Amino acid sequence: MPTKKNKVTKKTAKKAPKKVVTPAPAPVPPPPPAPPAPPAPPKPVVPVRSEADKIWDEIKNLPIQMFGLPDQYVLQHATPVPIEPSTLYVTIRSTATLPSLEAAVSPAFTVELQDKFVLIKRTPKPLIPSKQR
């Protein structure tokens, strides 16, 4: 009788998939410390305007009657000199400028001659205001 041969079947062993080994991520160095913020720029210093500068700004463009010429202004015949901040000191080009300068800036300012300078001051306000009708 025929004998049955047991067939030995080979079982193929399943191969395990290859494990992909990923290298550990390199340690990230901490970011370098930020440089300190630059100091805030200083606020621009606004120069304080002296009383003499204010007076000059008010009178320099006033018309002045000089030699009968048209379009004459105070700044063409007077030059400011910084001596004292409370009073405007000017030098004048001609001595004939003095009476014309007085007429141009009165009654708001007083004009007086001292040595080679002309002093221009504000006229002080009266202590007791007069009644206006």
Side-chain angles (χ1 to χ4, degrees):
M1 291 215 217
T3 60
K4 280 189 169 176
K5 290 187 180 177
N6 286 342
K7 288 187 176 179
V8 177
T9 57
K10 288 186 178 178
K11 288 188 176 180
T12 56
K14 288 186 177 179
K15 292 184 180 178
K18 288 187 177 181
K19 291 184 180 179
V20 178
V21 178
T22 57
V28 178
K43 293 182 180 178
V45 178
V46 178
V48 178
R49 309 249 328 140
S50 68
E51 183 66 21
D53 293 335
K54 292 175 186 176
I55 293 172
W56 178 248
D57 286 341
E58 290 180 36
I59 69 168
K60 70 180 176 183
N61 292 319
L62 291 177
I64 188 171
Q65 297 295 323
M66 287 298 300
F67 311 118
L69 297 172
D71 299 328
Q72 297 294 304
Y73 299 99
V74 171
L75 66 97
Q76 295 171 323
H77 299 280
T79 305
V81 180
I83 294 178
E84 183 183 341
S86 64
T87 304
L88 175 63
Y89 285 76
V90 296
T91 56
I92 52 177
R93 299 201 195 296
S94 168
T95 54
T97 306
L98 187 59
S100 299
L101 182 62
E102 283 182 294
V105 299
S106 67
F109 300 98
T110 59
V111 178
E112 55 182 270
L113 180 65
Q114 285 190 356
D115 295 329
K116 64 177 186 175
F117 298 106
V118 175
L119 281 66
I120 302 173
K121 300 178 188 176
R122 290 191 189 277
T123 304
K125 294 181 180 179
L127 295 176
I128 301 172
S130 63
K131 292 184 181 179
Q132 294 181 357
R133 294 182 190 178

mmCIF file with all atom_site columns, all heavy atoms in Angstrom, residues 17-28:
data_model
loop_
_atom_site.group_PDB
_atom_site.id
_atom_site.type_symbol
_atom_site.label_atom_id
_atom_site.label_alt_id
_atom_site.label_comp_id
_atom_site.label_asym_id
_atom_site.label_entity_id
_atom_site.label_seq_id
_atom_site.pdbx_PDB_ins_code
_atom_site.Cartn_x
_atom_site.Cartn_y
_atom_site.Cartn_z
_atom_site.occupancy
_atom_site.B_iso_or_equiv
_atom_site.pdbx_formal_charge
_atom_site.auth_seq_id
_atom_site.auth_comp_id
_atom_site.auth_asym_id
_atom_site.auth_atom_id
_atom_site.pdbx_PDB_model_num
ATOM 1  N N   . PRO A 1 17 ? 10.719 43.418 9.837  1.00 0.00 ? 17 PRO A N   1
ATOM 2  C CA  . PRO A 1 17 ? 11.199 44.560 9.038  1.00 0.00 ? 17 PRO A CA  1
ATOM 3  C C   . PRO A 1 17 ? 12.365 45.235 9.770  1.00 0.00 ? 17 PRO A C   1
ATOM 4  O O   . PRO A 1 17 ? 12.420 45.262 10.983 1.00 0.00 ? 17 PRO A O   1
ATOM 5  C CB  . PRO A 1 17 ? 9.997  45.508 8.960  1.00 0.00 ? 17 PRO A CB  1
ATOM 6  C CG  . PRO A 1 17 ? 9.094  45.093 10.074 1.00 0.00 ? 17 PRO A CG  1
ATOM 7  C CD  . PRO A 1 17 ? 9.373  43.650 10.349 1.00 0.00 ? 17 PRO A CD  1
ATOM 8  N N   . LYS A 1 18 ? 13.262 45.756 8.984  1.00 0.00 ? 18 LYS A N   1
ATOM 9  C CA  . LYS A 1 18 ? 14.432 46.396 9.568  1.00 0.00 ? 18 LYS A CA  1
ATOM 10 C C   . LYS A 1 18 ? 13.997 47.678 10.265 1.00 0.00 ? 18 LYS A C   1
ATOM 11 O O   . LYS A 1 18 ? 13.203 48.449 9.748  1.00 0.00 ? 18 LYS A O   1
ATOM 12 C CB  . LYS A 1 18 ? 15.453 46.742 8.494  1.00 0.00 ? 18 LYS A CB  1
ATOM 13 C CG  . LYS A 1 18 ? 16.156 45.549 7.947  1.00 0.00 ? 18 LYS A CG  1
ATOM 14 C CD  . LYS A 1 18 ? 17.261 46.001 7.037  1.00 0.00 ? 18 LYS A CD  1
ATOM 15 C CE  . LYS A 1 18 ? 18.051 44.822 6.528  1.00 0.00 ? 18 LYS A CE  1
ATOM 16 N NZ  . LYS A 1 18 ? 19.136 45.220 5.670  1.00 0.00 ? 18 LYS A NZ  1
ATOM 17 N N   . LYS A 1 19 ? 14.493 47.803 11.433 1.00 0.00 ? 19 LYS A N   1
ATOM 18 C CA  . LYS A 1 19 ? 14.181 49.002 12.185 1.00 0.00 ? 19 LYS A CA  1
ATOM 19 C C   . LYS A 1 19 ? 15.149 50.089 11.733 1.00 0.00 ? 19 LYS A C   1
ATOM 20 O O   . LYS A 1 19 ? 16.351 49.879 11.710 1.00 0.00 ? 19 LYS A O   1
ATOM 21 C CB  . LYS A 1 19 ? 14.318 48.778 13.689 1.00 0.00 ? 19 LYS A CB  1
ATOM 22 C CG  . LYS A 1 19 ? 13.269 47.864 14.254 1.00 0.00 ? 19 LYS A CG  1
ATOM 23 C CD  . LYS A 1 19 ? 13.402 47.764 15.738 1.00 0.00 ? 19 LYS A CD  1
ATOM 24 C CE  . LYS A 1 19 ? 12.342 46.844 16.305 1.00 0.00 ? 19 LYS A CE  1
ATOM 25 N NZ  . LYS A 1 19 ? 12.469 46.719 17.745 1.00 0.00 ? 19 LYS A NZ  1
ATOM 26 N N   . VAL A 1 20 ? 14.538 51.206 11.384 1.00 0.00 ? 20 VAL A N   1
ATOM 27 C CA  . VAL A 1 20 ? 15.358 52.326 10.959 1.00 0.00 ? 20 VAL A CA  1
ATOM 28 C C   . VAL A 1 20 ? 15.732 53.084 12.229 1.00 0.00 ? 20 VAL A C   1
ATOM 29 O O   . VAL A 1 20 ? 14.882 53.553 12.965 1.00 0.00 ? 20 VAL A O   1
ATOM 30 C CB  . VAL A 1 20 ? 14.588 53.241 9.985  1.00 0.00 ? 20 VAL A CB  1
ATOM 31 C CG1 . VAL A 1 20 ? 15.430 54.437 9.590  1.00 0.00 ? 20 VAL A CG1 1
ATOM 32 C CG2 . VAL A 1 20 ? 14.152 52.447 8.783  1.00 0.00 ? 20 VAL A CG2 1
ATOM 33 N N   . VAL A 1 21 ? 16.975 53.141 12.451 1.00 0.00 ? 21 VAL A N   1
ATOM 34 C CA  . VAL A 1 21 ? 17.452 53.810 13.652 1.00 0.00 ? 21 VAL A CA  1
ATOM 35 C C   . VAL A 1 21 ? 17.738 55.263 13.266 1.00 0.00 ? 21 VAL A C   1
ATOM 36 O O   . VAL A 1 21 ? 18.583 55.523 12.404 1.00 0.00 ? 21 VAL A O   1
ATOM 37 C CB  . VAL A 1 21 ? 18.723 53.148 14.198 1.00 0.00 ? 21 VAL A CB  1
ATOM 38 C CG1 . VAL A 1 21 ? 19.239 53.891 15.414 1.00 0.00 ? 21 VAL A CG1 1
ATOM 39 C CG2 . VAL A 1 21 ? 18.460 51.696 14.501 1.00 0.00 ? 21 VAL A CG2 1
ATOM 40 N N   . THR A 1 22 ? 16.964 56.157 13.866 1.00 0.00 ? 22 THR A N   1
ATOM 41 C CA  . THR A 1 22 ? 17.197 57.576 13.596 1.00 0.00 ? 22 THR A CA  1
ATOM 42 C C   . THR A 1 22 ? 18.116 58.093 14.697 1.00 0.00 ? 22 THR A C   1
ATOM 43 O O   . THR A 1 22 ? 17.901 57.804 15.869 1.00 0.00 ? 22 THR A O   1
ATOM 44 C CB  . THR A 1 22 ? 15.883 58.371 13.593 1.00 0.00 ? 22 THR A CB  1
ATOM 45 O OG1 . THR A 1 22 ? 15.234 58.185 14.846 1.00 0.00 ? 22 THR A OG1 1
ATOM 46 C CG2 . THR A 1 22 ? 14.960 57.932 12.486 1.00 0.00 ? 22 THR A CG2 1
ATOM 47 N N   . PRO A 1 23 ? 19.100 58.832 14.286 1.00 0.00 ? 23 PRO A N   1
ATOM 48 C CA  . PRO A 1 23 ? 19.996 59.337 15.325 1.00 0.00 ? 23 PRO A CA  1
ATOM 49 C C   . PRO A 1 23 ? 19.253 60.354 16.183 1.00 0.00 ? 23 PRO A C   1
ATOM 50 O O   . PRO A 1 23 ? 18.359 61.052 15.721 1.00 0.00 ? 23 PRO A O   1
ATOM 51 C CB  . PRO A 1 23 ? 21.122 60.001 14.539 1.00 0.00 ? 23 PRO A CB  1
ATOM 52 C CG  . PRO A 1 23 ? 20.534 60.300 13.202 1.00 0.00 ? 23 PRO A CG  1
ATOM 53 C CD  . PRO A 1 23 ? 19.472 59.255 12.966 1.00 0.00 ? 23 PRO A CD  1
ATOM 54 N N   . ALA A 1 24 ? 19.611 60.399 17.414 1.00 0.00 ? 24 ALA A N   1
ATOM 55 C CA  . ALA A 1 24 ? 18.971 61.337 18.351 1.00 0.00 ? 24 ALA A CA  1
ATOM 56 C C   . ALA A 1 24 ? 19.285 62.756 17.874 1.00 0.00 ? 24 ALA A C   1
ATOM 57 O O   . ALA A 1 24 ? 20.396 63.031 17.415 1.00 0.00 ? 24 ALA A O   1
ATOM 58 C CB  . ALA A 1 24 ? 19.499 61.120 19.756 1.00 0.00 ? 24 ALA A CB  1
ATOM 59 N N   . PRO A 1 25 ? 18.289 63.650 17.918 1.00 0.00 ? 25 PRO A N   1
ATOM 60 C CA  . PRO A 1 25 ? 18.570 65.008 17.450 1.00 0.00 ? 25 PRO A CA  1
ATOM 61 C C   . PRO A 1 25 ? 19.665 65.653 18.310 1.00 0.00 ? 25 PRO A C   1
ATOM 62 O O   . PRO A 1 25 ? 19.704 65.468 19.515 1.00 0.00 ? 25 PRO A O   1
ATOM 63 C CB  . PRO A 1 25 ? 17.241 65.744 17.616 1.00 0.00 ? 25 PRO A CB  1
ATOM 64 C CG  . PRO A 1 25 ? 16.449 64.928 18.582 1.00 0.00 ? 25 PRO A CG  1
ATOM 65 C CD  . PRO A 1 25 ? 16.946 63.513 18.455 1.00 0.00 ? 25 PRO A CD  1
ATOM 66 N N   . ALA A 1 26 ? 20.523 66.367 17.622 1.00 0.00 ? 26 ALA A N   1
ATOM 67 C CA  . ALA A 1 26 ? 21.623 67.019 18.335 1.00 0.00 ? 26 ALA A CA  1
ATOM 68 C C   . ALA A 1 26 ? 21.033 68.084 19.258 1.00 0.00 ? 26 ALA A C   1
ATOM 69 O O   . ALA A 1 26 ? 20.072 68.772 18.899 1.00 0.00 ? 26 ALA A O   1
ATOM 70 C CB  . ALA A 1 26 ? 22.574 67.671 17.345 1.00 0.00 ? 26 ALA A CB  1
ATOM 71 N N   . PRO A 1 27 ? 21.577 68.241 20.428 1.00 0.00 ? 27 PRO A N   1
ATOM 72 C CA  . PRO A 1 27 ? 21.027 69.245 21.342 1.00 0.00 ? 27 PRO A CA  1
ATOM 73 C C   . PRO A 1 27 ? 21.208 70.645 20.718 1.00 0.00 ? 27 PRO A C   1
ATOM 74 O O   . PRO A 1 27 ? 22.273 70.990 20.243 1.00 0.00 ? 27 PRO A O   1
ATOM 75 C CB  . PRO A 1 27 ? 21.837 69.096 22.618 1.00 0.00 ? 27 PRO A CB  1
ATOM 76 C CG  . PRO A 1 27 ? 23.076 68.361 22.221 1.00 0.00 ? 27 PRO A CG  1
ATOM 77 C CD  . PRO A 1 27 ? 22.726 67.554 20.999 1.00 0.00 ? 27 PRO A CD  1
ATOM 78 N N   . VAL A 1 28 ? 20.120 71.388 20.730 1.00 0.00 ? 28 VAL A N   1
ATOM 79 C CA  . VAL A 1 28 ? 20.148 72.737 20.168 1.00 0.00 ? 28 VAL A CA  1
ATOM 80 C C   . VAL A 1 28 ? 20.696 73.669 21.235 1.00 0.00 ? 28 VAL A C   1
ATOM 81 O O   . VAL A 1 28 ? 20.140 73.745 22.332 1.00 0.00 ? 28 VAL A O   1
ATOM 82 C CB  . VAL A 1 28 ? 18.727 73.173 19.745 1.00 0.00 ? 28 VAL A CB  1
ATOM 83 C CG1 . VAL A 1 28 ? 18.733 74.595 19.195 1.00 0.00 ? 28 VAL A CG1 1
ATOM 84 C CG2 . VAL A 1 28 ? 18.155 72.197 18.734 1.00 0.00 ? 28 VAL A CG2 1
#
